[in-house]
Short mmCIF file of all heavy atoms in Angstrom, two decimals:
data_model
loop_
_atom_site.label_atom_id
_atom_site.label_comp_id
_atom_site.label_asym_id
_atom_site.label_seq_id
_atom_site.Cartn_x
_atom_site.Cartn_y
_atom_site.Cartn_z
N LYS A 221 -17.66 15.91 15.94
CA LYS A 221 -17.39 15.72 17.37
C LYS A 221 -15.94 16.13 17.66
O LYS A 221 -15.05 15.79 16.85
CB LYS A 221 -17.60 14.23 17.68
CG LYS A 221 -17.32 13.81 19.09
CD LYS A 221 -17.96 12.46 19.36
CE LYS A 221 -16.97 11.33 19.22
NZ LYS A 221 -17.52 10.03 19.68
N PRO A 222 -15.67 16.82 18.77
CA PRO A 222 -14.27 17.13 19.09
C PRO A 222 -13.43 15.85 19.12
O PRO A 222 -13.85 14.86 19.72
CB PRO A 222 -14.36 17.79 20.48
CG PRO A 222 -15.75 18.35 20.54
CD PRO A 222 -16.61 17.38 19.75
N GLY A 223 -12.29 15.88 18.46
CA GLY A 223 -11.41 14.71 18.46
C GLY A 223 -11.68 13.71 17.35
O GLY A 223 -10.96 12.72 17.21
N ALA A 224 -12.69 13.96 16.51
CA ALA A 224 -12.97 13.02 15.41
C ALA A 224 -11.90 13.13 14.31
O ALA A 224 -11.18 14.13 14.23
CB ALA A 224 -14.35 13.33 14.82
N VAL A 225 -11.83 12.09 13.49
CA VAL A 225 -10.92 12.10 12.34
C VAL A 225 -11.79 12.17 11.08
O VAL A 225 -12.74 11.41 10.94
CB VAL A 225 -10.02 10.84 12.33
CG1 VAL A 225 -9.12 10.85 11.10
CG2 VAL A 225 -9.19 10.77 13.61
N VAL A 226 -11.44 13.09 10.18
CA VAL A 226 -12.31 13.39 9.03
C VAL A 226 -11.55 13.15 7.72
O VAL A 226 -10.47 13.71 7.50
CB VAL A 226 -12.79 14.86 9.08
CG1 VAL A 226 -13.73 15.16 7.93
CG2 VAL A 226 -13.47 15.16 10.42
N ILE A 227 -12.13 12.32 6.87
CA ILE A 227 -11.54 12.05 5.55
C ILE A 227 -12.51 12.61 4.50
O ILE A 227 -13.65 12.17 4.39
CB ILE A 227 -11.36 10.52 5.32
CG1 ILE A 227 -10.49 9.89 6.41
CG2 ILE A 227 -10.79 10.24 3.93
CD1 ILE A 227 -9.04 10.30 6.41
N ASP A 228 -12.01 13.54 3.72
CA ASP A 228 -12.84 14.24 2.73
C ASP A 228 -12.50 13.75 1.32
O ASP A 228 -11.44 14.04 0.79
CB ASP A 228 -12.58 15.75 2.85
CG ASP A 228 -13.54 16.58 2.01
OD1 ASP A 228 -14.28 16.01 1.19
OD2 ASP A 228 -13.55 17.82 2.18
N VAL A 229 -13.42 12.98 0.74
CA VAL A 229 -13.19 12.40 -0.59
C VAL A 229 -13.71 13.34 -1.69
O VAL A 229 -13.41 13.17 -2.87
CB VAL A 229 -13.85 11.01 -0.70
CG1 VAL A 229 -13.51 10.32 -2.02
CG2 VAL A 229 -13.43 10.10 0.46
N GLY A 230 -14.48 14.34 -1.30
CA GLY A 230 -15.13 15.21 -2.30
C GLY A 230 -14.14 16.07 -3.07
O GLY A 230 -13.21 16.63 -2.49
N ILE A 231 -14.33 16.13 -4.35
CA ILE A 231 -13.53 17.05 -5.18
C ILE A 231 -14.49 17.69 -6.17
O ILE A 231 -14.91 17.04 -7.13
CB ILE A 231 -12.43 16.33 -5.99
CG1 ILE A 231 -11.48 15.56 -5.08
CG2 ILE A 231 -11.65 17.33 -6.84
CD1 ILE A 231 -10.39 14.80 -5.84
N THR A 232 -14.86 18.93 -5.93
CA THR A 232 -15.72 19.63 -6.88
C THR A 232 -14.92 20.82 -7.43
O THR A 232 -14.31 21.56 -6.68
CB THR A 232 -17.00 20.13 -6.19
OG1 THR A 232 -17.67 19.01 -5.60
CG2 THR A 232 -17.94 20.80 -7.20
N ARG A 233 -14.92 20.92 -8.76
CA ARG A 233 -14.21 22.03 -9.42
C ARG A 233 -15.13 23.25 -9.41
O ARG A 233 -16.25 23.18 -9.89
CB ARG A 233 -13.92 21.62 -10.86
CG ARG A 233 -12.60 22.05 -11.41
CD ARG A 233 -12.33 21.35 -12.74
NE ARG A 233 -11.86 19.99 -12.52
CZ ARG A 233 -10.60 19.67 -12.27
NH1 ARG A 233 -9.68 20.61 -12.20
NH2 ARG A 233 -10.25 18.42 -12.08
N MET A 234 -14.66 24.35 -8.81
CA MET A 234 -15.50 25.55 -8.76
C MET A 234 -14.72 26.75 -9.30
O MET A 234 -13.49 26.76 -9.25
CB MET A 234 -15.95 25.83 -7.33
CG MET A 234 -16.83 24.72 -6.80
SD MET A 234 -17.58 25.12 -5.23
CE MET A 234 -19.08 25.86 -5.76
N THR A 235 -15.47 27.71 -9.78
CA THR A 235 -14.83 28.93 -10.30
C THR A 235 -15.08 30.06 -9.30
O THR A 235 -16.23 30.36 -8.95
CB THR A 235 -15.41 29.30 -11.68
OG1 THR A 235 -15.35 28.12 -12.50
CG2 THR A 235 -14.60 30.40 -12.34
#
Side-chain angles (χ1 to χ4, degrees):
K221 178 163 98 171
V225 178
V226 182
I227 303 292
D228 188 350
V229 186
I231 302 178
T232 303
R233 218 169 281 277
M234 296 189 91
T235 310

